[in-house]
């Protein structure tokens, strides 16, 4: 094991259900309720969960996170080691791994993929994940005024100085400073490799990707379904038990729920909110359901570039105007935990009650603070995707805000998740929008850098603060994990005064499945572990 690889682990275990004994078939297929991805299927171009679950099936990176406890495990990597305290890392790959087209997986595939992802003109949303590699600044060009996507100057270079191929199965990574968190981060899909065929036609590849993972893409009919089939030549230890998995698109999660109930499909990751009341889902699926805490939290993204939302006082007032306790009790039947900070409780480095009074409901204080702001919105909207159960809680949040502040607040639905996310990432929103974050890896850093750092890949509100960025940079460059963790906590402690986003609640997830499935394991990130599913 490399330095630091076992230093971070989650206390929450994976949830596994194994029904009455019945011989599982090492074959067969099953169907998952799914939503059409926002972007083409390229690992570093995918930052949302619908595309992410397919990326994880098709590709395997250097490491995996164990389904039971999210500990880092070697996957395509034989070892990841540092001899200088965490600045330079030597990565050795396992021999014999192949792409789905039969070509070998090499060190060059990783170096080329990471350079391509980091190079700003290529437009991959997860490019910022490579920011701690030496030479990253040379391959990026920042939006000069922070007011949205536009033609940016060409970067000085198209390759990072910190990446070096040593031989076919070895490459070297030099960071801008020491970090023992880095080998934990590389299990995230942004760090997955790409085959040579990708670079011949990236656009075509995104529609029919060639991976190195446990499943191969069989077919993809847009807005209908996507099918993957088992890769029998897969070299990893997480070999699937089933032959095929079908991801079927639903734009109504109530319809998906009923189809699981009728045996038309086999798995729904999160039941509709209406089925939480009185634990109806448990009645419908007495031996085929789960309820477990997951590494997922809900927020409201604030359009900080718009007048009225660019004042922290307004954002603080809006947060104080939301009765989280009432909403989580009445809408979610106490299956959500009101948030008082920006980091999920399952993460290493989590601290309770960071947000304080600004995440505590107080209508009178909220109204007084709102009125004290110089510029404030005359009408408030909260956008969401209409193909999942968001309407009830969005309406409840808006009702709480409107009642507390005396300002009109309305929910604003968009038909599909992909359409909604495209409007968010292109800064087309004219008000607030719902946001959710599922951990990429189990550490506090993953809830700060990707979401709130200036120019970060999932900084939906385009929040920017120089002092906060400087604190993150200090933490990023600290080799000792415990010391770095404290610095990230100091960074989070700066957020109540800034209120870049509004924390809402942390999730437990209620999943259901059909009688067709045998072993069902939900990992700590809330995803179905495709490698261990069995079909009766």
């Amino acid at each position: 094991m490399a330095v630091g690889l076992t230093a971070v682990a989650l206390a929450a275990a994976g949830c596994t259900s194994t029904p009455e004994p019945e011989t599982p078939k090492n074959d067969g297929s099953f169907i998952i309720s799914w939503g059409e991805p926002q972007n083409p299927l390229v690992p570093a171009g995918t930052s949302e969960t619908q595309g992410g679950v397919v990326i994880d099936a098709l590709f395997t990176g250097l490491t995996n996170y164990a389904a039971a406890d999210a500990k880092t495990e070697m996957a395509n990597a034989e070892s990841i080691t540092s001899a200088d305290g965490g600045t330079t890392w030597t990565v050795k790959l396992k021999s014999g791994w192949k792409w789905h087209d039969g070509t070998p997986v090499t060190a060059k595939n990783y170096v080329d993929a990471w350079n391509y992802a980091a190079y700003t003109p290529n437009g991959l949303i997860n490019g910022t994940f490579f920011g701690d590699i030496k030479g990253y600044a040379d391959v990026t060009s920042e939006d000069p005024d922070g007011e949205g996507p536009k033609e940016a100057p060409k970067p000085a270079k198209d390759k990072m100085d910190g990446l070096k191929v040593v031989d076919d199965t070895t490459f070297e990574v030099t960071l801008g400073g020491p970090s023992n968190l880095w080998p934990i981060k590389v299990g995230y899909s942004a760090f997955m490799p790409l085959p040579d065929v990708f670079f011949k036609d990236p656009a075509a590849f995104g529609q029919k990707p060639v991976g190195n993972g446990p499943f191969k893409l069989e077919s993809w009919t847009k807005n209908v379904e996507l099918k993957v089939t088992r890769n029998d030549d897969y070299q990893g230890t997480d070999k699937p038990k089933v032959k095929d998995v079908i991801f079927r698109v639903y734009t109504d999660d109530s319809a998906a729920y009923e189809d699981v109930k009728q045996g038309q499909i086999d798995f729904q990751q999160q039941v509709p909110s209406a089925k939480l009341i009185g634990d109806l889902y448990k009645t419908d699926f007495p031996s085929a359901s789960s309820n477990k805490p997951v590494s997922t939290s809900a927020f409201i993204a604030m359009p900080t570039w718009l007048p009225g939302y660019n004042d922290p006082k307004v954002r603080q007032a809006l947060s104080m105007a939301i009765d989280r306790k009432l909403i989580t009790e009445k809408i979610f039947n106490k299956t959500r935990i009101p948030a008082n900070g920006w980091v999920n409780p399952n993460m290493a480095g989590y601290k309770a009650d960071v947000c304080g009074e600004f995440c505590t409901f107080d209508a009178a204080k909220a109204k007084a603070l709102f009125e004290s702001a110089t510029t404030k919105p005359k009408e408030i909207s909260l956008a969401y995707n209409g193909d999942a159960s968001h309407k009830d809680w969005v309406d409840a949040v808006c009702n709480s805000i409107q009642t507390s502040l005396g300002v009109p607040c309305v929910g604003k639905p968009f038909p599909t998740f992909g359409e909604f996310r495209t409007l968010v990432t292109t800064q087309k929103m004219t008000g607030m929008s719902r946001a959710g974050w599922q951990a990429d890896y189990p550490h506090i850093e993953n809830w700060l850098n990707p979401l709130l750092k200036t120019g970060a890949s999932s900084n939906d509100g385009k929040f920017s603060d120089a002092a906060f960025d400087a604190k993150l940079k200090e933490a990023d460059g600290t080799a000792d994990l415990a010391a770095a963790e404290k610095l990230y906590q100091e960074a989070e402690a700066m957020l109540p005064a800034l209120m870049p986003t509004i924390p809402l609640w942390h999730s437990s997830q209620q999943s259901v499945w059909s009688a067709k499935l045998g072993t069902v394991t939900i990992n700590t990130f809330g995803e179905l572990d495709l490698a261990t599913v069995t079909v009766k």
Side-chain angles (χ1 to χ4, degrees), residues 220-284:
W220 185 7
T221 303
K222 296 296 179 63
N223 299 306
V224 179
E225 68 180 33
L226 181 148
K227 180 180 179 181
V228 298
T229 190
R230 186 175 62 217
N231 174 19
D232 288 325
D233 297 322
Y234 180 57
Q235 296 296 307
T237 58
D238 52 330
K239 293 179 172 61
K241 306 294 191 297
V242 299
K243 185 71 169 63
D244 301 314
V245 181
I246 297 166
F247 299 87
R248 183 162 295 167
V249 174
Y250 280 84
T251 56
D252 180 347
D253 62 353
S254 294
Y257 180 89
E258 292 302 320
D259 279 357
V260 180
K261 192 175 174 182
Q262 299 301 320
Q264 300 300 308
I265 67 172
D266 304 299
F267 182 79
Q268 184 177 41
Q269 184 168 326
Q270 175 61 61
V271 304
S273 58
K275 300 302 179 181
L276 300 176
I277 307 302
D279 288 337
L280 286 175
Y281 75 97
K282 291 183 180 179
T283 302
D284 290 340

Side-chain angles (χ1 to χ4, degrees), residues 56 139 178 198 226 288 326 357 401 413 449 453 470 485 508 514 522 532-533:
D56 288 343
V139 301
F198 166 83
L226 181 148
L326 181 65
E357 65 171 330
I401 290 173
N449 267 323
K453 184 179 179 179
E485 198 172 281
S508 61
S514 74
I522 311 296
T532 57
V533 176

Side-chain angles (χ1 to χ4, degrees), residues 113-325:
W114 296 3
N115 276 322
Y116 186 93
Y119 186 60
T120 306
N122 290 329
L124 295 189
I125 194 167
N126 281 333
T128 54
F129 275 87
F130 302 93
D132 44 10
I133 296 176
K134 182 180 178 182
Y136 172 78
D138 295 330
V139 301
T140 59
S141 51
E142 301 294 337
D143 175 9
D145 54 15
E147 293 184 354
K150 59 185 69 178
E151 193 68 30
K154 187 176 180 179
K157 298 180 180 179
D158 62 0
K159 293 178 177 59
M160 291 180 282
D161 292 339
L163 296 178
K164 176 186 175 184
V165 174
V166 177
D167 56 40
D168 283 350
T169 58
T170 310
F171 66 102
E172 194 173 85
V173 182
T174 302
L175 306 180
S179 172
N180 284 311
L181 177 62
W182 184 81
I184 296 169
K185 293 168 63 173
V186 297
Y188 176 47
S189 59
F191 294 91
M192 289 173 175
L194 288 169
D196 292 340
V197 68
F198 166 83
F199 300 95
K200 296 176 181 178
D201 191 341
F205 182 94
Q207 305 306 316
K208 195 171 183 179
V210 175
N212 66 331
F215 291 93
K216 300 184 288 188
L217 181 68
E218 180 76 13
S219 61
W220 185 7
T221 303
K222 296 296 179 63
N223 299 306
V224 179
E225 68 180 33
L226 181 148
K227 180 180 179 181
V228 298
T229 190
R230 186 175 62 217
N231 174 19
D232 288 325
D233 297 322
Y234 180 57
Q235 296 296 307
T237 58
D238 52 330
K239 293 179 172 61
K241 306 294 191 297
V242 299
K243 185 71 169 63
D244 301 314
V245 181
I246 297 166
F247 299 87
R248 183 162 295 167
V249 174
Y250 280 84
T251 56
D252 180 347
D253 62 353
S254 294
Y257 180 89
E258 292 302 320
D259 279 357
V260 180
K261 192 175 174 182
Q262 299 301 320
Q264 300 300 308
I265 67 172
D266 304 299
F267 182 79
Q268 184 177 41
Q269 184 168 326
Q270 175 61 61
V271 304
S273 58
K275 300 302 179 181
L276 300 176
I277 307 302
D279 288 337
L280 286 175
Y281 75 97
K282 291 183 180 179
T283 302
D284 290 340
F285 297 89
S287 59
S289 65
S290 70
N291 176 18
K292 64 162 291 183
V294 292
S295 304
T296 302
S297 301
F299 301 87
I300 293 177
M302 308 298 292
T304 60
W305 67 88
L306 292 178
Y309 292 99
N310 55 2
D311 185 345
K313 285 184 180 180
V314 171
R315 304 194 293 263
Q316 291 165 339
L318 288 167
S319 179
M320 294 173 73
I322 300 170
D323 192 341
R324 294 164 177 78
K325 183 175 183 294

Side-chain angles (χ1 to χ4, degrees), residues 251-253 384-391 413-417 420:
T251 56
D252 180 347
D253 62 353
Y384 63 98
N385 52 302
D387 54 359
S389 289
H390 298 304
K391 184 181 188 303
F414 291 88
T416 67
F417 178 76
F420 167 73

Side-chain angles (χ1 to χ4, degrees), residues 57-69:
L58 299 178
F59 293 84
T60 297
L62 298 174
T63 63
N64 284 332
Y65 302 114
D69 55 15

